[in-house]
Amino acid sequence: MAVAPGTTSKEGWSSRSAFILAAIGAAVGLGNIWRFPTLAGENGGGAFVLFYIGCVFLLGLPLVLSEIFIGRAGQTDAVGSIRKVARESRSSEKWSIFGGIGALAAFLIVSFYSVVAGWVLYYVGVMGADLLQAIVAGDPFRGALMGESQEAIQGRMGDLFANPMLLLGMHLVFMGATLFIVARGVSGGIEKAATILMPAFFVLLIGITIYGAVVGDIGEAAAFLFTPDWSLLTPQAMNEALGQALFSLSLGVAGLITYGSYIRENSGLGSTALTIAVADTSVALLSGLMIFPIVLAVGLDPAAGPTLVFQSLPFAFQTMPGGALIGFLFFVLILVAAVTSSISLLEVPTAWGIGELGWKRTTSSLIFGGGAFLIGIACLLGYNVWADVRPLSFWSIFAETDILDTIDGFTGKVMLPVGALLTALFIGWKADKNLLKVTTGLSSGSFAIFRFLIAWLCPLAVAIILVTGLFPGVLG
Ligand code: TRP
């Protein structure tokens, strides 16, 4: 039997539930708690949310299953796994190129993801210090940042952005933690982090949502999130919803191929994929139900954009009973989610270095983690010293974007959809049907639906996101 060159060592998940937890940890991240509520708010709520849910189950779910299948069948890094499935399907091994694009995209994403997670870390520090003061003052259940005006609270973000050393320090700590976990390996690092952090995450999420429901206006929030006004569903909003579905499920960068390659046993991949998609979407919706009651209760604008979580919420926590404590826990929650996602991102290039270049795990994670750290430095300097730098200024859609937004935009609008498109075409048209059916363990009915979605709907829809994302003019 042909073994792919440099097949990854015998690393693997210790159980099916460990894999599911790690994959949910990868999916649930800043995308759910920061990006989803931001986009839902900006795009008017209900119609966007319902369309998003449709995207997750009709496009995301088949792609999740496809990636896990490739990893399970390939049993090595993304490039090697695709190569192996291609060979067994008598297709060209050139398809493995999308594993390489994926590894590069994951490497670029983790560089700025760590910078954004660094902001979260900073707010954990701010809210933590405030909580400590409250406890020392014998009033642990007071609101957050008492005595600070709304302007002062919102100004904290500007102060942070103006301070490259502070940004750098936070980025360093976060990337260092990510690297440390990935260097410790699959079962000793990634799995352990997920099994400790994910349960803590769910306890916090449910706790804060209940808190928001009690002290905030959950009725108005639910109405905002679920009552569709279809006139607000513009082509741009649909494009954003599709892109967000890919990002939130961690698709298009071979992340789930990599995680899937550590599955050892044969078990129904269909139900595993469904569990991941349902969990990720539930967390996104719960995040909305956690954040909007708090935002709406104090009359803040749900469409505030990317600063919603960082500028609006800390102010909202000021006026709420127990705000100092809950505000602190809220940022801890986001941080936990970010860690389990960033390790999945760094793992993709790390596994590639191990599988394709024959590097040791520590070497590979250090090289890619270190490289991403350096690119992240450029991103954070883009908020101060290099504020005028526009890396892709010749390209109209990136003409106005700073370094971080350019890398975010390029990976999200170009690399992710390209990766997802090639995955869909490969699985829909090239992969051996028998291998696919046996490995996924789907029933005949589900298999037929899956094949239709992955061969037709996914390529079409993803091609549309790609084109409309690159040429916004076609959206009118
Ligand atoms: N899905 C994660 C989030 O929602 C981020 C993430 C992890 C990701 N791995 C990925 C995004 C791979 C795209 C591709 O925050």
Side-chain angles (χ1 to χ4, degrees):
M1 191 190 81
V3 174
T7 296
T8 325
S9 58
K10 315 264 168 314
E11 288 196 279
W13 310 111
S14 58
S15 67
R16 177 179 141 97
S17 57
F19 163 69
I20 293 182
L21 220 50
I24 293 175
V28 171
L30 297 173
N32 302 63
I33 311 175
W34 171 62
R35 213 158 175 267
F36 176 78
T38 300
L39 289 176
E42 287 177 336
N43 290 293
F48 174 90
V49 172
L50 294 178
F51 186 77
Y52 170 80
I53 295 174
C55 291
V56 166
F57 290 99
L58 293 177
L59 307 169
L61 181 57
L63 283 163
V64 169
L65 181 57
S66 299
E67 284 205 16
I68 299 178
F69 155 74
I70 297 172
R72 175 66 190 87
Q75 293 289 301
T76 181
D77 71 278
V79 171
S81 288
I82 299 165
R83 197 189 290 128
K84 185 162 170 213
V85 172
R87 199 184 303 126
E88 286 176 15
S89 307
R90 274 170 238 92
S91 300
S92 164
E93 293 187 10
K94 291 212 180 76
W95 281 97
S96 63
I97 189 96
F98 74 78
I101 299 176
L104 179 64
F107 169 70
L108 290 173
I109 293 174
V110 77
S111 71
F112 72 81
Y113 202 85
S114 170
V115 173
V116 178
W119 308 343
V120 177
L121 184 60
Y122 171 75
Y123 276 86
V124 168
V126 168
M127 304 302 271
D130 181 56
L131 176 62
L132 210 64
Q133 276 176 13
I135 293 172
V136 170
D139 190 9
F141 298 111
R142 67 160 164 75
L145 307 170
M146 296 309 278
E148 251 181 76
S149 67
Q150 184 171 4
E151 291 69 43
I153 292 179
Q154 298 192 334
R156 281 175 175 276
M157 200 169 188
D159 295 345
L160 171 66
F161 282 5
N163 188 339
M165 287 321 282
L166 190 54
L167 288 169
L168 181 70
M170 299 295 143
H171 171 48
L172 177 68
V173 171
F174 188 85
M175 189 63 90
T178 302
L179 211 168
F180 178 77
I181 298 170
V182 170
R184 298 191 50 144
V186 176
S187 57
I190 299 174
E191 175 179 321
K192 202 173 257 172
T195 43
I196 296 169
L197 295 176
M198 289 316 286
F201 172 85
F202 280 105
V203 170
L204 283 173
L205 178 69
I206 291 170
I208 302 176
T209 308
I210 294 173
Y211 166 86
V214 172
V215 304
D217 194 341
I218 196 157
E220 202 186 329
F224 175 74
L225 275 177
F226 297 116
T227 314
D229 173 353
W230 296 106
S231 69
L232 295 175
L233 194 64
T234 59
Q236 280 91 342
M238 291 191 229
N239 181 281
E240 299 243 44
L242 275 161
Q244 170 64 11
L246 295 184
F247 186 89
S248 191
L249 292 168
S250 307
L251 290 168
V253 311
L256 288 169
I257 299 182
T258 308
Y259 272 22
S261 75
Y262 306 127
I263 303 178
R264 293 289 168 262
E265 60 209 18
N266 285 315
S267 53
L269 298 186
S271 60
T272 302
L274 186 64
T275 309
I276 296 168
V278 168
D280 184 65
T281 308
S282 311
V283 173
L285 297 177
L286 264 181
S287 298
L289 286 178
M290 168 180 70
I291 288 171
F292 288 118
I294 300 174
V295 167
L296 293 170
V298 291
L300 292 168
D301 181 10
T307 59
L308 178 75
V309 161
F310 296 106
Q311 293 191 318
S312 302
L313 275 179
F315 174 67
F317 285 126
Q318 187 178 65
T319 55
M320 313 216 129
L325 175 64
I326 300 295
F328 170 70
L329 294 177
F330 174 79
F331 285 101
V332 170
L333 172 84
I334 309 185
L335 190 65
V336 165
V339 172
T340 53
S341 293
S342 67
I343 56 183
S344 80
L345 285 162
L346 183 57
E347 177 62 15
V348 184
T350 299
W352 180 78
I354 298 169
E356 300 299 308
L357 306 178
W359 290 345
K360 285 213 285 288
R361 172 168 283 277
T362 27
T363 314
S364 194
S365 54
L366 256 170
I367 287 176
F368 290 111
F373 174 67
L374 294 179
I375 298 174
I377 294 179
C379 292
L380 64 88
L381 290 178
Y383 287 98
N384 33 72
V385 188
W386 289 344
D388 298 326
V389 176
R390 299 286 174 271
L392 299 181
S393 57
F394 57 87
W395 191 342
S396 65
I397 51 170
F398 298 121
E400 305 294 327
T401 52
D402 57 38
I403 302 174
L404 190 149
D405 285 346
T406 302
I407 299 182
D408 182 6
F410 184 75
T411 49
K413 289 191 168 129
V414 182
M415 302 184 83
L416 232 95
V418 166
L421 181 62
L422 292 174
T423 309
L425 291 175
F426 178 63
I427 296 298
W429 298 95
K430 295 292 170 182
D432 183 79
K433 287 189 200 66
N434 227 343
L435 180 65
L436 194 57
K437 183 144 200 303
V438 171
T439 314
T440 55
L442 291 180
S443 68
S444 300
S446 311
F447 189 68
I449 298 174
F450 166 62
R451 291 258 312 148
F452 169 74
L453 293 175
I454 202 72
W456 295 97
L457 196 68
C458 289
L460 240 137
V462 177
I464 291 173
I465 329 184
L466 191 61
V467 172
T468 54
L470 291 184
F471 308 99
V474 297
L475 295 179

